[in-house]
Amino acid sequence: MDHPSQPSVRHFDHCPWLFADEATEEQRAAQREVQRAVGGDTGIGERCYVAESAAVFPDRLRLGDDSYIAAHAYVTGELDTGSHCTLNPFTTVRGNVVLGHGVRIGAHTSLLGFNHSMAPDRPVFRQPLTSRGIRVGDDVWIGSHVIVVDGVTIGDHCVIGAGAVVTRSLPAWSVAAGNPARVLRDRREVRGTGTAEVDPAAAAPGIRPDDGRTPTNRPAPDAAPGAAAGDPEPTPHARRAVQVAGAAGAEATAGAEVADLSGIRPGSDRTPTSRPAPDPRTATLAAFADTARDQAAGLLDRCWDGERYVDRPGAAPTVRAHCDAVEIADLLLGVAPEHLSTEEHIGRLSGLQDPKSGLVPEFGEPLPVADADGFIGEGAALYHVLCVGYALDLLGPGLPHPVRGVQDMTVRQLIARLEALPWRAGAWRAGAWVDSVATAAHWNLRHTDGSDHGHGTPETLFGWLLTRADPWTGMWGSPSAEEGRLQVVNGYYRLTRGSFAQFGLPVPYPERVVDAVLDHARDARHFGSGRENACNVLDVAHPLWLCTQQLGRGADGYRSGEIHDWAERQLTTVLPRWQDGRGFCFGPGAVGPGPEPGLQGTEMWLAIVWYLADLLGRSGELGYRPRGIHRPEPARQGITGLS
């Protein structure tokens, strides 16, 4: 049927891409009222559209510029989007969902960033809700009638075919389809005969060509309908469809929401015969990740003694071993270790926390005695604040009780403790204590909904750290003749992991940190052939990664060539050290668990491999991304007065 000369609100609800160019002033005013009426904690960017017929009832909504929510979409929970994101008609987005820039979601698609358990001890309607969240990268096209389940990460530049059910994370540049969805090919593969180069920024608004994620010299996509010479100028909707999906080689037409996978059957193992030979470095990463996933269940079986987890056969059960098992299973398999149900894992780990102090002692050891300020200074319980907290976070509920010693610590007590830490002789111990205190403060804020900082622990901690950082190194502590920068750099990692990185705040003097860390990485005492252990490599890789996020990635980043070369050497060294069925050892010597493969070494090196690969712009090929202790994203976005 013909539309009247002026589109109606109903027309815009179903075709919101027309609103910016064709709406009257009255319709624009009415749309502003619709946006103001959205409840919850809401922030809507410029040139956005929210359909009157959409059911938008968020707890939190951040809609980036030039984005829209179309007719009959259903949005609840927490949704954060970048710019140029589209939720087309009848889309469902629930739970905790984060979208990057240029994400196109087809009609009738569901992103379900929550779940609930199904233990047999109670009816389904009484089961507790859980949420690990869904993360979608930049420049992603999700076709119609797709379902994405909780806990999935979809990498940058992916295309997902219509009707897919995405149950596991997808690496960047994947073209995926099927139930369950599987990767069919890489978007960058040559298809057809086109050879022209394209501007990589064109396919993803907001992504810089030199950000380390987008190749600047990739083959052009197949021509999309409407783009060939002599064809009519496509509509604004068609132009946006081509812009977002064109670099995939998938065809886009005006109004179409189905990703065309050109006849590749989801169950087929065939690949296009014209594909170029893969980059051998990429193939190595992908093959390593496939091997690790295939062997993960057996590796965990090896470290299950029938009752509890051990780091390696013959070792005593430890709290950390249980947490490492949870982290490995989540990273590689997307589930809890199968030896216990999710509810049993939660029950065991939650039951270890002392309700009064909030501390978790080691198996068979008494509860640590708190110091005068109410918190402890060292011991296994200090690290358990991290590992038990994050294991429970991955499983769903988080720590059941606050860490009282940190919650009740006064400003005066915190400053006195910080001043007394062994910064000169033991910077690692000092950094580890800050890591534990900052992480405890993070968990404690959850128990107050983030509205009550107690005695101001986070603000006081960051204020002290910012005023004590050495402007020559960006670090805390002093090197020694015996160990060089080892204590300082390793302490820097622990300190910044729990504080600046975990709270999403910039580190001071990032250029000087890069200088100091690269200098340390040349120290043959710690990085000579065969001397690297997981702690030492992680404690260089993470600070370099953290600082490059501030300083910029790609060829123009600060000392990027040296960082790239170091990461390449380390990655080339570590991948062959995977032992079939056993995983990684921590490293040579008596530091840490030593040379026997086990859960701690495996969990740490898997995270290290991700950081090294990401420094090289290739982490998407792994198909996994740390979400626990070694997660790259902040666990919390700032604190009042500092963010």
Side-chain angles (χ1 to χ4, degrees), residues 383-405:
Y383 190 76
H384 293 168
V385 172
L386 280 64
C387 68
V388 176
Y390 270 105
L392 285 169
D393 192 54
L394 291 172
L395 294 167
L399 285 172
H401 310 290
V403 182
R404 302 288 180 182

Side-chain angles (χ1 to χ4, degrees), residues 60 62 78-82 85 93-101 103 105 111 113 132-138 140 142 152-154 631 633 637:
R60 170 187 164 87
R62 294 293 182 270
E78 299 181 355
L79 171 63
D80 283 63
T81 86
C85 289
V93 179
R94 303 189 65 197
N96 187 311
V97 177
V98 177
L99 309 179
H101 299 289
V103 177
I105 301 175
L111 276 62
R132 300 191 302 177
I134 293 171
R135 301 294 181 267
V136 179
D138 298 328
V140 172
I142 302 176
V152 164
T153 295
I154 297 173
R631 57 182 290 160
E633 294 85 12
Q637 287 291 344

Side-chain angles (χ1 to χ4, degrees), residues 68-113:
Y68 61 72
I69 300 174
H72 306 292
Y74 179 30
V75 179
T76 65
E78 299 181 355
L79 171 63
D80 283 63
T81 86
S83 61
H84 296 274
C85 289
T86 64
L87 278 62
N88 278 290
F90 299 97
T91 297
T92 296
V93 179
R94 303 189 65 197
N96 187 311
V97 177
V98 177
L99 309 179
H101 299 289
V103 177
R104 188 174 193 78
I105 301 175
H108 298 276
T109 282
S110 296
L111 276 62
L112 306 175

Side-chain angles (χ1 to χ4, degrees), residues 113-138:
F114 74 102
N115 206 336
H116 55 80
S117 54
M118 53 181 179
D121 61 341
R122 70 189 80 177
V124 170
F125 78 93
R126 294 190 184 279
Q127 297 287 342
L129 292 178
T130 62
S131 179
R132 300 191 302 177
I134 293 171
R135 301 294 181 267
V136 179
D138 298 328

Side-chain angles (χ1 to χ4, degrees), residues 162-186:
V165 179
V166 187
T167 60
R168 298 180 67 173
S169 295
L170 297 173
W173 296 103
S174 296
V175 177
N179 180 6
R182 60 185 290 271
V183 177
L184 305 178
R185 64 180 177 87
D186 188 298

Side-chain angles (χ1 to χ4, degrees), residues 459-506:
E459 294 90 342
T460 301
L461 177 63
F462 281 104
W464 192 92
L465 292 172
L466 287 168
T467 57
R468 300 307 196 280
D470 182 351
W472 292 102
T473 65
M475 298 186 176
W476 298 265
S478 304
S480 68
E482 297 76 23
E483 295 183 299
R485 296 186 187 273
L486 181 67
Q487 287 273 334
V488 179
V489 172
N490 289 12
Y492 179 87
Y493 160 69
R494 286 296 304 271
L495 183 153
T496 55
R497 190 222 70 85
S499 56
F500 294 93
Q502 188 165 227
F503 281 78
L505 296 172

